[in-house]
Amino acid sequence: MKKLNRHILICSLLLLMGIFMAACGSSNEETNKKGTTTTEATTRMYKDYLDHEVEIPVNPQRVVYHGEGYGDLLALNINTVGAGFSWITNYAWEDRVKDVEDVGFPINVEKTLSLKPDLIIIGTSDDKTYSQLSKIAPTIVLDTFAPLDQRLTELGDILNKKDEAAQWIDDYTEKADKMWNSLVADGSVKPDETASVLTYYPGDRLFVMARAGLSQVLYDSNVLKPSDKIQKILDDGTGFAEISTELLPEYAGDRIFILTPVDDEAKQSTKEMMESPIWKNLPAVKNGHVYTIDIQKSDSDASTREWLLTQIPTMLKK
């Protein structure tokens, strides 16, 4: 009897040990599964608009952004470790940029490397630059001339801010529509008026803006329209085009916006244009429908657009 009881006790102990080991194995297996899932979720594949297929972090923590449109990131409350200050200095929202290192223009590869980024976003399609940067960290080329909603949606996807991007677009669209409708209602602007945006670059080079900066803000209004010549530039998918002063009558709209350049030579070219007979004979000039704004404060990024909603009514009601 003692032997039997002893045998039963041993079997019971072995059974309990087996159950315990199985439970531990199951727990370890579950833990391993969770660990594997976490590891797999830290990165994902992304294809940028130049068809680069890049493995990027799901939640980037150290982003370097180099190109137009830094204000888009501010709208999404994104903090970067590095950026090109050429697209930050003297902008309407410059004081909101904190603890960001300048990576220069053109981008300084060594400086970028020192910031240890886990994601680099650039606005240039230069193959050499892309090749150098992609050796430092996953690098994406962003179409900075894309329409705002497309650009912000893409950034929301890249930076895991999809909901924030969608909400910002909805809020901005509502505010912009309200502003433009108010300007039409009080007679400040007539529906279907045309507008053009001009600026000079050094070397006496005159440009008409189409898909870049302030022009994008104006044409998105569905109130101020591009002229036929500017519409052609838009249809070609180009951000801007160089023209001669002799062609001004073909590009000038009912409203003309002059982007005041930074360079002194370009400022002098602007002054000379505005003193020319061709300029003085434009209908917009004769009607007093000419407006000036600093070029850095006329971008089409999300944060500048919010600021422009407070400035455009004042400009057009003069």
Side-chain angles (χ1 to χ4, degrees), residues 43-57 60 62-67 103 107-109 112-113 116-143 154-155 158-159:
T43 62
R44 66 188 179 98
M45 297 305 298
Y46 189 87
K47 181 185 286 189
D48 69 18
Y49 97 109
L50 291 183
D51 291 332
H52 299 122
E53 291 196 23
V54 188
E55 185 176 4
I56 66 172
R62 299 186 60 81
V63 178
V64 168
Y65 184 96
H66 193 268
V103 293
I107 190 168
N108 185 306
V109 176
T112 303
L113 175 63
K116 300 178 180 178
D118 58 6
L119 180 65
I120 301 171
I121 303 173
I122 57 174
T124 178
S125 57
D126 180 68
D127 287 337
K128 181 179 179 181
T129 301
Y130 181 86
S131 176
Q132 290 175 322
L133 295 174
S134 60
K135 293 174 183 176
I136 298 173
T139 302
I140 289 174
V141 181
L142 183 72
D143 182 5
E154 184 169 359
L155 280 170
I158 294 168
L159 301 169

Side-chain angles (χ1 to χ4, degrees), residues 204-257:
D204 199 34
R205 303 177 67 196
L206 174 61
F207 288 86
V208 58
M209 314 307 284
R211 194 169 166 247
L214 179 63
S215 58
Q216 198 178 97
V217 179
L218 300 177
Y219 302 148
D220 279 356
S221 70
N222 292 319
V223 174
L224 294 177
K225 313 289 186 181
S227 66
D228 291 342
K229 288 281 188 178
I230 297 176
Q231 185 60 56
K232 176 64 168 60
I233 302 172
L234 288 166
D235 292 341
D236 290 341
T238 308
F240 46 81
E242 185 175 0
I243 65 170
S244 65
T245 52
E246 289 75 21
L247 293 177
L248 270 173
E250 298 180 31
Y251 287 88
D254 300 315
R255 311 268 178 168
I256 299 177
F257 295 79

Side-chain angles (χ1 to χ4, degrees), residues 181-194:
N181 290 336
S182 175
L183 290 173
V184 171
D186 67 16
S188 298
V189 180
K190 296 177 182 177
D192 296 326
E193 281 190 287
T194 58

